[in-house]
Amino acid sequence: MHEALVSWRNAAATATYDTTGWDPAAPVSLVTEPDGARARFTAAWTDAAPVRLRGAFAESELVSFGALLDTNLYQSHDVELVLYQNADWTGPLWTSGRAPMLPSLIATEDLALEDPRKFDGRLYEDDFFAWPAHVYRFPPQVYCRSFEWRVWSNGIHADLSPAAGFELDSVWMGDGLLLELRAGTRIAVSLAASSRREGGYTVVEPGGASLRTATIPLDLLDGDVADQLVTMTKRIDGIRPGAFVFDMDDAAASFLYGFLFRLQAEVGREWANGPDLSDTSLTLEEWS
């Protein structure tokens, strides 16, 4: 059984951000929209004083999912998310702890001793660079007034050389709905997709659209969960993106198949299996 997460309200889009250290030509305000325009941090940082992306809410928000979307990080770069009780980044409530952007994703015991991945379990560079670099963290449903992402990196270029600063397209902070994915769940990746990163690295010819899709069977799903999904379809209505994580306990699968989405198909309830059950599916298409 896989436990996926779908989130449709991004409280970070309306947060107030601390501009300290961010490039005026690529300001931190750019993180509120997933439009491909990256914010860039250019101030000097140290191990004791990392890059800080700080946002504060107008009132307490429930957060069970946080993400940095389309970054220039490498898989071994350290990241931490901290949630706070107060709007001035005081009164810590929860921390993810400092950890690599991605944990070890492969079984290193099966690799030859000469393999460069033997001791850290990282993906091959070509595999890692095939997709936008998203960072996911999962707080245990915390009401907070502010948040802080800490990043120990200037980012990298596609050739692994250091970049001029940490960059990202957008931030997601919000609550989510957990879905148990049953047998028959199908995640499809369009072969015509172009997953381009800034820096000149492309898997296929540039100009194509990234069209990862996820079709989630909801057979025998509890009726109240189906109702929440219907409400979600009305809230985002094709105008705003939602966030999809394939498996909260499988970092490799979520890296490959997690994305911002737009709804592609309807979702609803059918009473053929009883008044409290759903017999339908949800189809998500990657936001572009």
Side-chain angles (χ1 to χ4, degrees):
M1 190 73 70
H2 298 281
E3 196 166 54
L5 180 142
V6 178
S7 181
W8 56 86
R9 181 175 179 272
N10 183 13
T14 58
T16 300
Y17 289 89
D18 179 4
T19 61
T20 304
W22 293 86
D23 187 347
V28 69
S29 58
L30 293 175
V31 304
T32 61
E33 295 288 340
D35 55 6
R38 285 181 169 181
R40 181 170 60 252
F41 191 90
T42 55
W45 62 273
T46 65
D47 192 72
V51 174
R52 298 180 189 272
L53 173 61
R54 289 176 155 184
F57 304 124
E59 57 187 28
S60 292
E61 295 282 356
L62 180 60
V63 175
S64 62
F65 171 59
L68 300 176
L69 300 163
D70 190 14
T71 73
N72 66 344
L73 293 177
Y74 188 58
Q75 52 196 316
S76 60
H77 290 158
D78 285 349
V79 176
E80 181 178 16
L81 172 61
V82 185
L83 305 182
Y84 294 97
Q85 180 178 359
N86 305 312
D88 60 353
W89 304 286
T90 61
L93 295 170
W94 177 86
T95 175
S96 66
R98 177 176 174 175
M101 172 203 159
L102 286 175
S104 177
L105 300 179
I106 58 178
T108 56
E109 63 272 13
D110 297 331
L111 300 177
L113 185 61
E114 297 80 11
D115 195 305
R117 304 173 300 162
K118 180 69 176 178
F119 298 103
D120 60 14
R122 68 179 186 267
L123 299 174
Y124 283 124
E125 277 73 20
D126 283 353
D127 296 335
F128 178 76
F129 282 107
W131 304 107
H134 301 330
V135 181
Y136 302 126
R137 296 293 183 264
F138 303 101
Q141 288 198 315
V142 177
Y143 278 97
C144 63
R145 278 295 306 276
S146 60
F147 62 90
E148 179 180 68
W149 287 91
R150 301 170 182 172
V151 177
W152 284 266
S153 174
N154 271 334
I156 57 169
H157 295 300
D159 61 2
L160 298 182
S161 63
F166 165 61
E167 299 178 359
L168 77 160
D169 182 7
S170 60
V171 179
W172 192 285
M173 299 292 296
D175 192 23
L177 179 64
L178 300 182
L179 301 174
E180 291 186 350
L181 303 185
R182 303 175 184 275
T185 298
R186 178 174 182 266
I187 307 297
V189 178
S190 169
L191 295 180
S194 170
S195 293
R196 182 176 61 83
R197 286 196 188 184
E198 293 183 16
Y201 190 97
T202 348
V203 180
V204 297
E205 291 299 321
S210 184
L211 296 175
R212 283 180 287 182
T213 60
T215 300
I216 306 174
L218 303 178
D219 301 37
L220 305 184
L221 190 72
D222 288 345
D224 61 340
V225 178
D227 291 345
Q228 291 181 62
L229 287 171
V230 169
T231 301
M232 176 192 72
T233 66
K234 295 303 293 181
R235 283 179 176 173
I236 63 178
D237 201 26
I239 300 173
R240 292 177 297 275
F244 170 67
V245 176
F246 177 68
D247 190 331
M248 295 173 60
D249 295 322
D250 189 335
S254 291
F255 180 76
L256 294 174
Y257 299 116
F259 48 78
L260 292 185
F261 69 84
R262 69 179 75 248
L263 290 167
Q264 191 184 61
E266 66 181 16
V267 58
R269 289 173 66 176
E270 295 185 10
W271 273 259
N273 292 322
D276 297 320
L277 300 176
S278 168
D279 185 12
T280 183
S281 63
L282 181 68
T283 302
L284 313 175
E285 181 179 88
E286 189 167 13
W287 184 269
S288 61

